[in-house]
Amino acid sequence: MSRDTREITVTVNGAPKRLTVPVRLLLSDLLRDVLGLTGTHVGCGQGPCGSCTVLADGGTVRSCLMLAVQADGMEIETIEGVAAGDGALHRIQEAFREHHALQCGFCTPGIVMATVGLLRRSPHPSADERAELMEGHLCRCTGYRNIDAALAALAGEG
Amino acid sequence: MAVGLVGTPVRRLEDHRLLTGKACYVADIVLPHMLHMAVVRSTRAHAEIMDIRTAAALAAPGVRLILTGEDVRDLGPLPCIDLFPDSKPALHRVLALDKVRYVGEPVAVVIADDVYAAEDAAELVEIYYRDLPVVLDLEEAASDAPPALLYPEFGTNVANICRQEVGDPDAAFAGAAHVFEETFRIHRYAAAPMETRGVVADPTAQGGRITLHTSTQFPHLVRAFLGGVLGIPESEIRVVAPDVGGGFGAKCEFYPEEVVSVVAARRLGRPVRWIEGRQEHFVATTHAREQVHAMRAAVDADGVVTAVTLKSLTSNGAAMFTLATTPASISSAMLRGPYRIPNYRAESLSVLTSKTPLAVYRGAGHPQAVLCMELMMDRIARDLGIDRIDLRRRNMLTKQELPSDRGTAIVLAGKVVYDSGDYPGCLDRVLELAGWDDRLRRQAEARAQGRIVGLGVACFVEETAIGPYETGHVRVDGSGKVTVLTGASPHGQGTATAIAQLVAEELQIPFTDVTVRHGDTDVVADGVGTFASRGGAIAGAAARLAAHKVREKAVLIASELLEAAAVDIEWVDGRAAIVGVPGRSVTLAEIARRATAWNSLPTGLSSFNLDEVAHHQVPGISFANAAHVAEVEIDRDTGTVRVLDYAVVHDSGRIINPMIVEGQVHGGIAQGLGGLLMEEIAYDAAGRPLVSGFQDYFLPTSAEMPEIRTGFMESPTPLNPYGMKGAGEGGTTGAVGAIAGAVADALVPLGVRVAGDGPFTPPAVMALLAAARKGAGA
């Protein structure tokens, strides 16, 4: 097994980090095991479920399908950086709570991160844009209707 | 403030933590000097193990330990708790010894410094097999001449036979005007929670006690099972279910990794972590549903079903897991659903096959039973030219006929006696909600345009809130805040919120003053767990009973503080006040402080502290009911089944939080829809599963889900002090029946007869359409 390492510079939730990482280390493992940001969940390790979604330079990525070294020079955002530090929820999180858009909560951080990215690009996303977002996320608990309602409310259609 | 809290859609206490990334699932637990485990699994469906060579793996970087079946030879097998007295105890070993019986069976484990090293080394473990014949087909497995016996010592692959007998079915068939027969086939699929299973076994606690963090639905039972397998007292074991990312029954089982991780951790003196991979999950975590039901119905000239007989087979896979006979038991006990059918006989076999063990999944045996019964009702209606709603009404138990002893029994749960409900009323309500007559008219129009559209209706009764008991411990400390310890172990259901609502209403305090703790056997001394739609109803009742006792004790303490007789004290807004004397009152905090250990014992009390424990011992099963209506359209060019519309009226007794109950119904419907239209674990001829993850096991996405209109009825049960029944599983149970009925209805004009649950995936539906065309052309 390769024990090679590389030095990378990565900004995580606004804080710059210089790290030496094994070349085979996944971004999800860097976030979770090295940096202790366990709010990013790995539901499949294969891509389809979307639970591990984070933002990399503003775009959504599956952190389980990306190597940590590929994040060199990038700005990564995770669920831990979404709410302000004062304990208040971000309005996306508040909408999820209000609409009961989560049950076990395992898939939720990935959907919230994708929503953060979408609302930045498109503050009032259309039904098609919201549906496109949800194509990338599996949830086994909610049956999705309440997630869709939360997203509609965030788009101003609630 | 808190009066009337029960029954309101308060937002969940759980959500803040879950939404901000502060939850702690088992994979989030990091302990000092923690090692990592990878499991080497059988690649063969049935084979003798000739040799296991571990030298190369042991020499790999970072490897600390390898265990094989020989190393745990002395450990007992994993228990099955629903065996019948004459069951064949085909129990699963911790690691395979001499033989493997399914692809995915654990053969060895590798413990290494990190998970990458453990998985690399696991690849280097060499296992030499001699293949044996595989047994995949359920009817072949159960026959007198099966291709192989999985456990030759039993002389059969039939591990259990569950029988039900009510009335005189033979006489009813002899006198029947019509007899209907059908064999329904139900395919294999799985719960597939978003969080896979996982464990962290920690042997470093004081005195060598074991702490097992595990993604489970029943930590107290895991503690008991682990103690039993290891032969150590439960007091030496702490089991913690941290945040759990969904279970749906698949985590209501005791698994080999929960033992072998502990063995390895004790051997090495260091914590050991294992997190199941998604591909691994589809062979290592229990599957569900697969059954064949051969059903006969006797019907009189008026369309009254006078008798039903059932011979069913359940493909239990290669071993009897924790709850192995339950699917067969429930589907046989509950087949008749809300219909009178006074004569009934069932013989339900649990059969061993060369597949991953199969056990309970949301609804357990109910979805299969509802599917068969409702497809049979539709067929009887069609063949006799009776409206299918009318046929259901003719056979349905009325409110006045309840309670009704059905003459059947469910393993572990007891006698089936329907307690309360209004089944015809529920059907009426859902037809109204669905706009049934209008939908029938539009269906006729759509058919005239050549569209393939169908309507399905499913009415069912389901076992919920099973016992034997649940615990609740309510404690008020000097801060005036309330802590509830519950024996339930919720994992997404919002049970902490529901319990907080019940306790806050009892004590008339803000529900944010209530903290609910669960899932840690060192914190909650006793409990049973969360499964079988029991958490809210049973644990909720226990917690509220304890809160009621706390309130009574608080009044006694207040009577001393206020120098008033207890009868003159009323409880208002979380305070004890003297009736008719404004301003004379004490707060819950003041009362709790009076009862602390550094004060004298309050007058008239026999114990310190404002805390009380209650058990809610369940006197019998309470039965929820519902009616579902689904409308589907089939794309004749792609075979895709689309659910266009959905309506459900659900009755689970008194509702604690309608938002949560509706969420349970929604999620349940999605799982029923996925199981029928998308999900399947098929095997090739060699017994290898054809599923490797969510890229080929398709869960429903948002795009597949219809709008769902939900209505509620609340028929309180006399079996619960607050009238509550369970709501966790009904969505799935009803959806399976309603969607299968709609697909079958859609295909009737094409001459396709649906007998089973497909799955109605696009290729399978295309095959049905092609066969229909061929039949029409012939």
Side-chain angles (χ1 to χ4, degrees), chain A residues 28-137:
Chain A
S28 53
D29 287 341
L30 173 77
L31 294 170
R32 294 175 46 78
D33 296 342
V34 179
L35 301 176
L37 298 171
T38 55
T40 297
H41 303 146
V42 179
C44 68
Q46 299 167 324
C49 88
S51 292
C52 69
T53 300
V54 299
L55 298 179
D57 286 346
T60 53
V61 297
R62 303 286 206 246
S63 62
C64 78
L65 294 184
M66 184 167 162
L67 294 168
V69 291
Q70 291 176 287
D72 188 22
M74 292 184 116
E75 192 159 328
I76 305 295
E77 294 168 77
T78 73
I79 189 69
E80 287 87 351
V82 173
D86 60 0
L89 294 176
H90 182 279
R91 75 181 185 100
I92 295 171
Q93 295 163 322
E94 193 53 61
F96 273 60
R97 187 175 117 86
E98 181 60 25
H99 291 272
H100 189 31
L102 67 155
Q103 289 182 24
C104 83
F106 195 83
C107 70
T108 309
I111 303 175
V112 169
M113 292 317 296
T115 307
V116 170
L118 174 63
L119 292 183
R120 262 188 217 151
R121 291 192 304 278
S122 175
H124 301 285
S126 66
D128 283 350
E129 286 176 294
R130 303 193 305 264
E132 193 182 336
L133 179 153
M134 286 308 297
E135 280 174 16
H137 294 273

Side-chain angles (χ1 to χ4, degrees), chain B residues 298-314:
Chain B
V299 184
D300 75 9
D302 298 323
V304 173
V305 184
T306 54
V308 162
T309 63
L310 170 74
K311 183 147 185 176
S312 82
L313 307 172
T314 301

Side-chain angles (χ1 to χ4, degrees), chain B residues 238-262:
Chain B
R238 173 187 178 196
V239 175
V240 182
D243 284 310
V244 171
F248 316 113
K251 294 175 182 174
C252 191
E253 298 287 325
F254 181 58
Y255 285 96
E257 296 85 359
E258 291 171 316
V259 179
V260 73
S261 63
V262 171

Side-chain angles (χ1 to χ4, degrees), chain B residues 301-514:
Chain B
D302 298 323
V304 173
V305 184
T306 54
V308 162
T309 63
L310 170 74
K311 183 147 185 176
S312 82
L313 307 172
T314 301
S315 174
N316 272 85
M320 301 299 272
F321 243 60
T322 318
L323 291 162
T325 69
T326 292
S329 171
I330 291 183
S331 54
S332 67
M334 297 301 296
L335 181 70
R336 292 171 298 157
Y339 307 114
R340 232 168 259 119
I341 312 178
N343 304 291
Y344 178 56
R345 176 182 299 137
E347 184 182 72
S348 295
L349 279 54
S350 299
V351 183
L352 299 160
T353 49
S354 309
K355 298 181 180 180
T356 288
L358 173 145
V360 294
Y361 165 39
R362 203 171 196 167
H366 290 103
Q368 299 96 313
V370 172
L371 179 129
C372 297
M373 193 69 232
E374 294 296 67
L375 287 181
M376 181 61 93
M377 283 303 222
D378 283 346
R379 196 186 143 202
I380 294 168
R382 212 161 42 238
D383 288 7
L384 299 184
I386 301 172
D387 175 76
R388 57 179 149 158
I389 303 301
D390 187 32
L391 182 82
R392 283 172 170 79
R393 284 204 186 103
R394 284 183 208 182
N395 285 283
M396 202 173 267
L397 289 162
T398 61
K399 203 174 166 178
Q400 290 70 32
E401 290 170 87
L402 303 189
S404 171
D405 183 342
R406 304 291 282 152
T408 58
I410 297 173
V411 67
L412 295 178
K415 279 168 60 86
V416 176
V417 181
Y418 293 173
D419 49 332
S420 66
D422 178 4
Y423 311 148
C426 192
L427 175 58
D428 291 344
R429 283 272 312 270
V430 82
L431 295 175
E432 192 188 327
L433 189 63
W436 180 257
D437 292 338
D438 194 40
R439 282 195 192 281
L440 282 176
R441 189 180 48 74
R442 281 187 288 161
Q443 181 187 32
E445 288 168 13
R447 279 180 170 167
Q449 295 161 10
R451 290 166 61 194
I452 310 175
V453 289
L455 286 167
V457 59
C459 305
F460 68 90
V461 180
E462 60 162 0
E463 166 211 43
T464 73
I466 67 163
Y469 69 93
E470 199 47 274
T471 63
H473 182 167
V474 173
R475 186 180 181 92
V476 188
D477 61 44
S479 68
K481 306 288 189 202
V482 178
T483 302
V484 183
L485 311 181
T486 176
S489 195
H491 38 279
Q493 296 88 344
T495 312
T497 297
I499 287 175
Q501 285 179 259
L502 289 160
V503 169
E505 181 173 282
E506 184 67 36
L507 297 176
Q508 299 182 27
I509 55 174
F511 99 116
T512 47
D513 281 359
V514 183

Side-chain angles (χ1 to χ4, degrees), chain A residues 24 29 87 104 140 144-145, chain B residues 12 16 25 116 120 191 700 705:
Chain A
R24 67 188 296 197
D29 287 341
C104 83
R140 193 55 155 168
Y144 300 104
R145 289 287 72 103
Chain B
R12 302 197 317 169
H16 194 285
Y25 301 88
Y116 294 70
D120 286 347
M705 286 302 293

